[in-house]
Amino acid sequence: MVSILLLSEGSAEGVSNVSITLPQSFLDKMQGLLDHEYEAFMASYEQPRKYGLRVNGLKLSEGEFLKLSPWGDRLVPIPWASGGYYYVDSDRPGKHPHYHAGLYYIQEPSAMVPAELLDVRPGDRVLDLCAAPGGKSTQLAAKLQGKGVLVTNDNARERTKALAKNIELAGIRNAVVLNEEPAALAKVFEGWFDRVLVDAPCSGEGMFRKDESMIGEWERHSVSRCSAMQRDIMKHAYRMLAPGGTLVYSTCTFSPEENEAQIAELLAAYQDLEVVPVALAHGWAPGRPDWIGSDLVATLPAGSELINSLSGTVRLWPHLTGGEGHYAAVLRKRMLGGVVEKDADNDVGKGSLERVGRGSKGERTEQAGRGEQRNGVRADAERGSKGERTEQAGRVERRSDMRVDAERGSKGERTEQTGRVERRNGVRVDAERGSKGERTEQAGRVERRGDMRADAERGSVMRAEAGRGRKARGDGLKRASGGGAAGVVDAVEAWRRFAAERLVGAERWSGEPVAYGSRVYLQPPGLPRLDGLRVVRAGWFVGEAGTHRFEPSQALAMGLRCGEAALTLRLRADEEATLRYLKGETLHVDASRLVLQDASESRTAPHDGDMRALAPDGTKEIAAKGYVLVCADDCPIGWGKYGGDGLLKNELPAGWRWM
Ligand SMILES: C[S@@+](CC[C@H](N)C(=O)[O-])C[C@H]1O[C@@H](n2cnc3c(N)ncnc32)[C@H](O)[C@@H]1O
């Protein structure tokens, strides 16, 4: 054991130092790997760690954030992450109303790299397979800009609570949160995703400086145990990746067994995978093929490029770059017109062969369109200036930011022929319920209705019982209550009435209303059936139908823009009422402070009110009683219920309050 004094950053209270104790076996290993660099590596433990936040592009632009932020001139851009900034620890951005409004996510700077490398475009189908607590999912969602689908999953049930909350805090509308094993997901999502992120569970060696508890974890979870988990996760991740798609594998550990060796094994098993080299910048270092054990090398195809290609993966060292230790590999699944299987016993490879043979809907044929790297972020060589991507030789064409499903009607058509693909345009929130109230939902009887405009034409589809062909698990996961057909219809109808009365423009949103019991979600269109999967959020959770009225969720509030609610209370982040609201207090509010967004003649006035709210120009008024969206600096922070007595009852769920 070696104890090292860690320097903390200067703060108003002065500099405070702490020490950490590193296991001797770890030090010996690092010395063996790093040789002459070892001293510099060890010196990094005596340096203060870096702190990062990432501006949430779903809610505001970087420029808007910098204008609003009280720490604007102390924020330093993180060169590899859009919206990423180093901050000074003593500024404590986690304790600011803007944090509660989801304007940024606090994230270790190196941890921002994998999602940047994944090169997500609006309209993509994206999987974040090991996602909790959701840092990278929120980053990926910002890149989707509300278009396409994010499936975010973690197999640890407890951890999906934080994941769901972070998805909701960030105001993400097009995500589905699952709590599954990768094998179960692969049955539903075979070949479905354009982009897959595997931010793998690992021995965490790169995080010792940031979080000393990781040292204990390292001692408990051996490198070999982590490697075995990673291997299993990756074979299912591969299955879910569409031909032509990109997979990023990342860890926060230094051990080659969990990094280069994992990738080598994967490349050896699947001939249609290749490394897309990451351009080195910002002090990033190449992957180290020479660190793979000779036992493994002996099993790899002799003389192949496979081992050399591993130098195209990337290592982030704390002594060379401005963040903690990380590793990332960008892999692309080629389209060869048929997948060559190297391991006859490998079930994943077999599945792929069958798929190609069938020429099923999701199939595309494509030759390796080699990616090009710019500033460490992959860019397809063929890409046009406005985000267009055309992939030759197999021909995948994407236009604009929209992707479309084959099943969809005329607007969203996708035509896929062999060798050619054309795309055009394609609680109460559980977290609020606190720990006891968390609910993971297996799909009970679910009725789906088409999007709000098109319900009548599309009719409805009854979904089969989830868990069909699968035993109920004795894991305490509850099915949504209710679920009888009549109740389900009511829930969707109740949502539609609420949306018509209290929201502006909801009829144009793309999500499909789906009821799980009394809870209503807007689900990204085109998603396969989730039957049998443990579903934490089936989409954007918009609220729950009660006996008398529809209760909008905190997730709905966080996903709205202020202008999308009929009635708002616009506070400044720095006024006392904002803090009082965030602490769960009832507010006294003069009706004149309520803002009416849209008092068009056709709008139905809220049925239960007699107070009056003024339009911004002071010319119109409507009854103002009931749900009011509370905003701070023009960003929603939750709901209040306005009564006839000038009191705004606080609807902020307990788990969302400022502690
Ligand atoms: C490094 S953490 C992910 C951090 C996350 N990507 C983020 O940015 O916030 C790894 C996660 O993998 C999850 N995990 C472990 N084994 C898994 C498995 N077999 N399938 C899915 N998730 C798994 C763990 O519960 C843990 O939350």
Side-chain angles (χ1 to χ4, degrees):
M1 297 276 187
V2 172
S3 290
I4 294 173
L5 196 63
L6 286 179
L7 278 183
S8 288
E9 259 181 351
S11 69
E13 295 80 42
V15 173
S16 60
N17 296 333
V18 284
S19 69
I20 58 167
T21 303
L22 295 171
Q24 190 60 51
S25 54
F26 168 71
L27 296 172
D28 291 345
K29 185 174 88 169
M30 294 314 294
Q31 188 160 23
L33 289 175
L34 284 169
D35 196 13
H36 65 276
E37 262 188 78
Y38 178 67
E39 260 182 45
F41 170 72
M42 288 307 291
S44 72
Y45 286 95
E46 292 162 18
Q47 296 302 312
R49 58 163 285 210
K50 303 272 190 187
Y51 295 86
L53 62 79
R54 191 174 30 74
V55 178
N56 180 359
L58 290 178
K59 300 218 176 198
L60 78 180
S61 69
E62 282 183 61
E64 287 166 334
F65 173 73
L66 292 174
K67 267 192 217 147
L68 278 181
S69 166
W71 329 289
D73 43 4
R74 287 193 293 281
L75 295 172
V76 176
I78 296 171
W80 52 78
S82 60
Y85 289 88
Y86 295 108
Y87 69 84
V88 178
D89 183 28
S90 56
D91 282 336
R92 302 177 73 207
K95 286 278 175 198
H96 192 280
H98 290 162
Y99 176 79
H100 291 261
L103 300 196
Y104 48 84
Y105 186 89
I106 294 175
Q107 190 175 27
E108 195 282 306
S110 296
M112 298 178 191
V113 168
E116 289 293 333
L117 294 178
L118 194 57
D119 186 31
V120 166
R121 311 294 175 83
D124 280 341
R125 293 168 170 177
V126 181
L127 171 65
D128 188 358
L129 187 53
C130 307
K136 295 174 189 73
S137 279
T138 58
Q139 196 176 357
L140 297 169
K143 292 185 182 304
L144 286 174
Q145 294 171 26
K147 295 171 189 134
V149 184
L150 173 66
V151 174
T152 176
N153 175 74
D154 201 283
N155 78 338
R157 186 183 169 206
E158 274 303 301
R159 290 175 64 84
T160 59
K161 294 173 186 172
L163 173 60
K165 183 167 178 193
N166 282 323
I167 293 290
E168 293 176 346
L169 181 63
I172 298 165
R173 297 180 178 200
N174 56 337
V176 170
V177 184
L178 303 176
N179 169 219
E180 268 304 344
E181 291 301 332
L185 291 185
K187 286 183 190 151
V188 174
F189 291 105
E190 176 120 24
W192 201 77
F193 292 103
D194 302 304
R195 299 287 182 269
V196 175
L197 177 63
V198 177
D199 187 34
C202 69
S203 58
E205 293 165 352
M207 289 294 127
F208 290 172
R209 184 172 68 168
K210 175 180 173 237
D211 180 358
E212 203 184 342
S213 70
M214 296 300 292
I215 298 173
E217 293 292 315
W218 183 80
E219 284 164 335
R220 270 191 296 282
H221 304 292
S222 67
V223 164
S224 62
R225 197 175 143 224
C226 290
S227 310
M229 280 197 285
Q230 292 151 359
R231 200 170 295 122
D232 183 63
I233 291 170
M234 285 298 271
K235 79 176 180 193
H236 300 298
Y238 167 85
R239 267 176 82 177
M240 288 186 267
L241 184 65
T246 301
L247 184 157
V248 167
Y249 172 82
S250 58
T251 71
C252 58
T253 203
F254 302 121
S255 65
E257 299 89 327
E258 299 176 67
N259 295 328
E260 289 86 352
Q262 281 297 331
I263 302 304
E265 285 186 46
L266 201 73
L267 294 176
Y270 305 110
Q271 196 175 307
D272 57 342
L273 273 187
E274 65 179 356
V275 170
V276 180
V278 175
L280 298 180
H282 325 299
W284 299 355
R288 296 294 301 259
D290 51 320
W291 286 353
I292 297 181
S294 50
D295 289 359
L296 174 59
V297 172
T299 67
L300 300 175
S304 78
E305 280 297 296
L306 186 158
I307 295 180
N308 288 344
S309 73
L310 297 170
S311 59
T313 65
V314 66
R315 282 181 168 268
L316 275 64
W317 292 102
H319 59 289
L320 297 177
T321 196
E324 304 303 306
H326 265 75
Y327 171 83
V330 182
L331 305 172
R332 180 181 168 104
K333 195 182 212 178
R334 286 192 301 257
M335 289 184 158
L336 297 171
V339 178
V340 180
E341 186 184 12
K342 293 174 207 163
D343 176 359
D345 292 323
N346 191 312
D347 54 351
V348 175
K350 274 180 201 154
S352 302
L353 280 171
E354 277 171 22
R355 259 195 348 268
V356 170
R358 278 201 307 267
S360 62
K361 265 194 278 184
E363 286 300 320
R364 288 175 247 163
T365 306
E366 181 189 52
Q367 297 290 328
R370 281 207 166 264
E372 201 183 274
Q373 301 277 339
R374 291 194 203 109
N375 294 326
V377 179
R378 178 179 164 273
D380 289 313
E382 313 86 325
R383 203 184 297 156
S385 57
K386 280 189 210 143
E388 282 178 359
R389 185 161 62 174
T390 308
E391 301 181 18
Q392 297 296 331
R395 312 213 354 183
V396 176
E397 225 180 87
R398 288 191 181 189
R399 301 236 183 90
S400 82
D401 291 335
M402 317 281 278
R403 72 159 292 139
V404 186
D405 293 312
E407 312 83 72
R408 245 186 261 158
S410 55
K411 269 196 249 157
E413 278 170 7
R414 182 166 63 177
T415 315
E416 302 190 10
Q417 295 167 356
T418 318
R420 182 182 170 83
V421 176
E422 203 179 297
R423 293 183 181 188
R424 296 211 188 98
N425 289 345
V427 160
R428 330 264 257 180
V429 176
D430 288 348
E432 304 137 22
R433 294 190 172 163
S435 53
K436 274 195 237 141
E438 286 298 332
R439 188 155 60 171
T440 302
E441 299 182 14
Q442 300 218 15
R445 292 169 77 80
V446 174
E447 174 152 345
R448 278 189 156 207
R449 312 209 112 206
D451 83 42
M452 290 170 61
R453 267 175 309 176
D455 266 357
E457 305 94 86
R458 290 197 196 162
S460 61
V461 179
M462 281 302 286
R463 272 209 181 170
E465 175 75 23
R468 196 178 40 184
R470 185 173 183 167
K471 280 192 197 152
R473 301 165 186 236
D475 57 6
L477 300 179
K478 285 194 192 111
R479 239 176 234 159
S481 57
V488 169
V489 172
D490 287 347
V492 172
E493 290 304 327
W495 153 248
R496 296 178 68 188
R497 275 199 302 276
F498 174 87
E501 284 179 2
R502 290 284 169 183
L503 303 177
V504 176
E507 68 282 0
R508 291 190 296 275
W509 297 346
S510 65
E512 292 178 28
V514 173
Y516 279 54
S518 55
R519 294 159 65 89
V520 181
Y521 298 81
L522 294 190
Q523 196 165 76
L527 207 66
R529 292 163 66 118
L530 303 177
D531 295 1
L533 296 180
R534 286 184 291 204
V535 180
V536 181
R537 297 287 185 277
W540 183 20
F541 173 46
V542 291
E544 188 157 10
T547 320
H548 301 298
R549 64 176 64 83
F550 186 84
E551 292 184 12
S553 68
Q554 179 67 11
L556 174 65
M558 299 310 289
L560 292 174
R561 293 182 175 272
C562 281
E564 289 178 313
L567 276 178
T568 51
L569 171 62
R570 313 268 178 132
L571 303 171
R572 288 192 324 277
D574 61 2
E575 74 182 285
E576 197 199 335
T578 301
L579 194 54
R580 288 183 44 218
Y581 174 80
L582 287 172
K583 287 185 166 173
E585 294 178 24
T586 297
L587 302 182
H588 290 266
V589 175
D590 191 283
S592 64
R593 281 210 69 178
L594 299 183
V595 176
L596 170 65
Q597 182 60 34
D598 174 12
S600 68
E601 297 305 318
S602 59
R603 169 172 288 286
T604 316
H607 51 75
D608 54 357
D610 55 6
M611 300 294 288
R612 316 301 290 171
L614 288 177
D617 62 4
T619 56
K620 293 177 182 171
E621 58 178 22
I622 65 162
K625 193 174 170 190
Y627 286 104
V628 171
L629 186 67
V630 181
C631 301
D633 287 348
D634 280 334
C635 293
I637 51 177
W639 295 104
K641 230 169 170 182
Y642 201 59
D645 49 5
L647 289 182
L648 186 80
K649 190 171 155 242
N650 197 311
E651 294 288 309
L652 194 62
W656 288 73
R657 290 184 190 159
W658 183 301
M659 303 301 277

